[in-house]
Amino acid sequence: MKKWRNGAKKRLAEIQAAQDAAQDMRKIAAAFAGLPAGQLKKVLTEDILAILAKYGVEI
């Protein structure tokens, strides 16, 4: 039983870390959305713009 509990605790920590990272990325994407489109197109590559578009940031 102890192995299962330890495994579950480890997996829970991984899930929480992933959720925290996703929340941080949403904040970054929202900040990018506030910038003028011309600035972003100069700095960000097409791959990054596609990822941002996937999460609702349209440029």
Side-chain angles (χ1 to χ4, degrees), residues 11 14 16 19 22 24 30 33 35-36 40-41 52 58:
R11 182 64 183 137
E14 290 171 357
Q16 288 172 339
Q19 289 173 342
D24 291 343
L35 294 173
L40 289 176
K41 287 183 180 180
L52 290 173
E58 295 296 326

Side-chain angles (χ1 to χ4, degrees), residues 3 24 26 33 42 55:
K3 288 182 185 179
D24 291 343
R26 284 188 197 99
K42 290 179 184 177
Y55 292 102

Side-chain angles (χ1 to χ4, degrees), residues 5 7-8 10-11 13-14 17 19 23 25 29 32 34-37 39-40 45 49 51-52 57-59:
R5 232 178 294 135
K10 182 179 177 184
R11 182 64 183 137
E14 290 171 357
Q19 289 173 342
Q23 187 176 15
M25 290 306 294
F32 281 154
L35 294 173
Q39 269 187 329
L40 289 176
T45 64
L49 292 174
I51 293 170
L52 290 173
V57 177
E58 295 296 326
I59 299 170

